Amino acid sequence: MDLRLYNTLTKEKQPLRPLDPSRVRMYVCGPTVYDFAHIGNARPVIVFDVLFRLLRHVYGADHVAYVRNITDVDDKINARAARDFPDLPLNAAIRKVTEETEAQFHADVDALGCLRPSVEPRATEHIPEMRAIVEKLIKRRHAYVERDHVLFAVASMKTYGRLARRSLDEMLAGARIDVAPYKRDAMDFVLWKPSKPGEPSWPSPAGIAVEGRPGWHLECSAMAWKHLGEQFDIHGGGIDLVFPHHENELAQSCCAFHHDRMANVWMHNGFLQVEGEKMSKSLGNFVTIRELREGWAGYAWPGDALRFAMLGTHYRQPIDWTAKSLDEAHKTLWRWYGDLDGVAPAPVMPDEVLAMLADDLNTSGAIAVLHALHKGGRLAELRAALSFLGFGCEQRRLQRRPAAVATVEIEMTDAPIKVIVQPLSEADVAQRIAERAAARAARNFAESDRIRDELAAMGIVLKDGKDADGKPVTTWEVAR
RNA sequence: GGCCACGUGGCGGAGUGGUUACGCAGCGGUCUGCAAAACCGUUUACCCCGGUUCAAUUCCGGGCGUGGCCUCCA
């Protein structure tokens, strides 16, 4: 089967032709571990998880290598460590921050139904590879040493700017940056820089006497090289990484290893907004995966619903993350999962779904096929397709509980008021259903409706029906 | 200021040079003491202006709008 993917490098969809079909290789830029991952971070994780699953299906589970790095050296990490653990030595504090954040990240993306990548390398475990790349670049005159920094000389690479499709002249014309005094060319970027006292540091390359640390882009070149080789098939990440991160990564790797390509296909997911606005802490609409899972827009949302809402939009389109679309996603899955109870998955994935995914990961098209499968009663196939896409298909794990503590904004006051939602025991529910049944038998519908409304207000939905003998029977479930 | 992407019915969201995806909501119906849930049926579209074409929502040019990148960023 032909898998067609949109390539940022060529701006068109192309059939994937792996360099080695017995080992298809994909690298995706992972998190910098200093804080909870937000919903925007979740997008590439989910999108490339779907691609990973598709590649495993097409080429075989043992023939796909998926590398997603963990960036554990960064100024933001240092700042967070100093803030949160002022009593610890900086390096110990940094270790605490990165380990805790990594565990949070894993818990969150596991809940989103994402498979773990084949390898999750850490930047700090690849310093020797980074130094080796720096040495190669200097030797080939693509990099130079200045004031204990090592810089990449963009003028030494004819095709610099090819990925982002902008020339050096354009970049210089639009630049609003102060050029550091150690740069020969305004667009040159740092490969290695000296560490300040107390900061993490490693022996420097290129004969630099003082210890230092890597620039931002170098780690990905090093980790991709170590785990996937000099050239590989797919490199992914958010569209905001095209420039400068991926452009620079590509420049480093191509110049260090003398290739015209680093990855054959570069894939970028579109940006995410929240309720129509750019997500930012200052706007107060910054939403983490953890918040969504524990309480957002009134509910603790199950990971499957978050995943479904995310896949409802094609990965290259911008996506507006709203409570409404999340609610819609949850409602759809709720209905399907209810019907899938006890249904065994079909042994093979429906071709229609596969065809959609093979066309540049058309997940919204695939979801339309799922609707058709559901409507057509092809439940075994629906289940197979949902499982393939990473969904759990268990309704009891899909309940969106009202957030234990809901925050209600009251006008004219500064402080939010907290409302505690009281839990209700199953015995309480059974008791009230019995009371209501008695009221109904007596045709006291005012009382029976009152009880039903009361339970509804507490998130319990009653369903009246008849048993085999035609007697009225009421069942209940937690409202979705 | 420079570069780039996008603009589809009330909302979300695919896709296509000619045969009105799909979902949600709405409306009508089945069911129900009444509801809820579920199920059945159903209305509404392709930002504006030019051009190419027998034919454009789909291709080309311009405009307007939204968003992104150029600085840390998925």
Side-chain angles (χ1 to χ4, degrees):
Chain A
M1 128 168 299
D2 245 358
L3 220 174
R4 292 165 57 80
L5 299 172
Y6 182 88
N7 189 350
T8 305
L9 212 46
T10 58
K11 293 185 84 171
E12 58 185 19
K13 282 189 212 174
Q14 300 170 315
L16 179 67
R17 299 272 179 261
L19 295 164
D20 176 3
S22 72
R23 187 162 184 264
V24 182
R25 290 163 284 172
M26 171 163 77
Y27 187 94
V28 175
C29 289
T32 299
V33 282
Y34 70 101
D35 203 350
F36 284 107
H38 57 69
I39 187 63
N41 299 120
R43 193 172 193 193
V45 176
I46 293 172
V47 163
F48 291 104
D49 178 67
V50 171
L51 180 55
F52 182 39
R53 290 167 184 270
L54 183 61
L55 291 170
R56 284 158 59 97
H57 178 82
V58 174
Y59 295 96
D62 297 333
H63 300 290
V64 182
Y66 172 24
V67 177
R68 185 181 63 210
N69 65 291
I70 286 175
T71 297
D72 59 353
V73 49
D74 183 275
D75 286 340
K76 291 192 291 289
I77 297 172
N78 301 346
R80 182 59 61 107
R83 189 196 80 180
D84 290 356
F85 303 101
D87 299 334
L88 290 179
L90 185 59
N91 283 301
I94 287 170
R95 194 172 317 118
K96 245 180 132 51
V97 167
T98 57
E99 283 175 359
E100 284 179 8
T101 309
E102 185 180 332
Q104 290 162 359
F105 176 76
H106 279 141
D108 284 342
V109 301
D110 286 353
L112 292 173
C114 297
L115 300 173
R116 292 288 178 92
S118 319
V119 189
E120 287 192 281
R122 291 179 141 233
T124 52
E125 289 165 6
H126 296 74
I127 303 291
E129 286 81 4
M130 297 190 209
R131 272 199 301 265
I133 290 174
V134 170
E135 300 287 3
K136 283 177 195 290
L137 289 171
I138 289 177
K139 194 171 165 189
R140 291 178 175 155
R141 298 182 183 281
H142 287 294
Y144 58 93
V145 178
E146 187 71 54
R147 301 197 198 181
D148 294 333
H149 290 67
V150 182
L151 291 117
F152 185 91
V154 293
S156 73
M157 185 189 190
K158 279 194 194 123
T159 56
Y160 185 79
R162 186 170 64 155
L163 181 69
R165 289 181 177 261
R166 54 181 99 176
S167 68
L168 277 175
D169 288 347
E170 283 168 359
M171 287 187 255
L172 290 171
R176 302 185 260 125
I177 47 175
D178 293 330
V179 178
Y182 44 77
K183 290 188 181 180
R184 286 182 193 167
D185 198 314
M187 297 311 295
D188 289 354
F189 58 90
V190 171
L191 296 168
W192 190 268
K193 57 190 170 186
S195 297
K196 297 191 185 77
E199 284 181 346
S201 66
W202 293 268
S204 293
I208 296 170
V210 299
E211 295 208 328
R213 57 201 174 108
W216 173 33
H217 319 296
L218 187 57
E219 53 168 294
C220 287
S221 287
M223 288 184 270
W225 176 38
K226 169 82 174 286
H227 298 282
L228 297 178
E230 296 178 2
Q231 291 185 299
F232 50 97
D233 300 299
I234 299 167
H235 193 128
I239 195 166
D240 55 318
L241 293 181
V242 173
F243 194 88
H245 184 53
H246 286 167
E247 189 73 55
N248 291 351
E249 219 184 298
L250 180 157
Q252 293 162 353
S253 292
C254 288
C255 291
F257 304 121
H258 266 329
H259 293 301
D260 66 332
R261 292 276 178 97
M262 181 189 186
N264 277 326
V265 183
W266 290 77
M267 295 176 65
H268 296 96
N269 61 272
F271 225 69
L272 175 145
Q273 287 182 279
V274 172
E275 301 288 356
E277 289 188 302
K278 178 169 179 166
M279 179 165 55
S280 76
K281 282 176 177 160
S282 59
L283 282 172
N285 65 347
F286 194 88
V287 49
T288 62
I289 303 170
R290 188 59 58 94
E291 283 167 356
L292 287 159
R293 293 175 57 215
E294 293 183 346
W296 186 73
Y299 295 97
W301 299 91
D304 277 14
L306 303 176
R307 185 179 179 92
F308 195 76
M310 193 69 84
L311 294 178
T313 301
H314 182 84
Y315 76 93
R316 281 192 282 119
Q317 290 290 109
I319 187 172
D320 189 12
W321 189 262
T322 63
K324 187 171 182 290
S325 59
L326 181 53
D327 178 66
E328 225 177 83
H330 186 262
K331 191 175 185 174
T332 300
L333 284 183
W334 184 263
R335 187 177 305 163
W336 289 354
Y337 285 14
D339 290 345
L340 289 176
D341 187 38
V343 174
V348 292
M349 258 272 281
D351 286 341
E352 307 100 292
V353 177
L354 211 50
M356 283 294 183
L357 295 178
D359 180 16
D360 195 32
L361 249 42
N362 188 350
T363 49
S364 34
I367 287 172
V369 176
L370 301 191
H371 279 290
L373 293 176
H374 178 255
K375 197 167 184 172
R378 297 161 65 184
L379 297 181
E381 288 170 282
L382 174 62
R383 176 151 203 161
L386 280 168
S387 298
F388 181 90
L389 286 166
F391 293 97
C393 301
E394 286 181 76
Q395 198 182 51
R396 63 182 180 82
R397 296 189 59 191
L398 192 68
Q399 284 172 358
R400 49 165 201 184
R401 289 182 208 83
V405 176
T407 302
V408 181
E409 299 287 346
I410 304 291
E411 273 183 79
M412 308 305 289
T413 64
D414 294 316
I417 293 172
K418 290 190 170 177
V419 179
I420 310 294
V421 178
Q422 292 291 346
L424 193 68
S425 75
E426 296 201 11
D428 291 338
V429 177
Q431 170 68 25
R432 306 217 190 177
I433 287 180
E435 288 168 14
R436 178 166 170 272
R440 288 180 77 205
R443 301 195 69 76
N444 182 355
F445 296 123
E447 172 64 5
S448 87
D449 289 353
R450 191 193 61 76
I451 294 171
R452 184 172 63 197
D453 292 345
E454 194 175 273
L455 287 169
M458 289 184 279
I460 303 295
V461 176
L462 299 186
K463 300 193 296 185
D464 293 334
K466 288 184 173 129
D467 64 14
D469 303 325
K471 285 181 164 175
V473 59
T474 298
T475 57
W476 66 276
E477 62 189 24
V478 176
R480 71 174 182 88

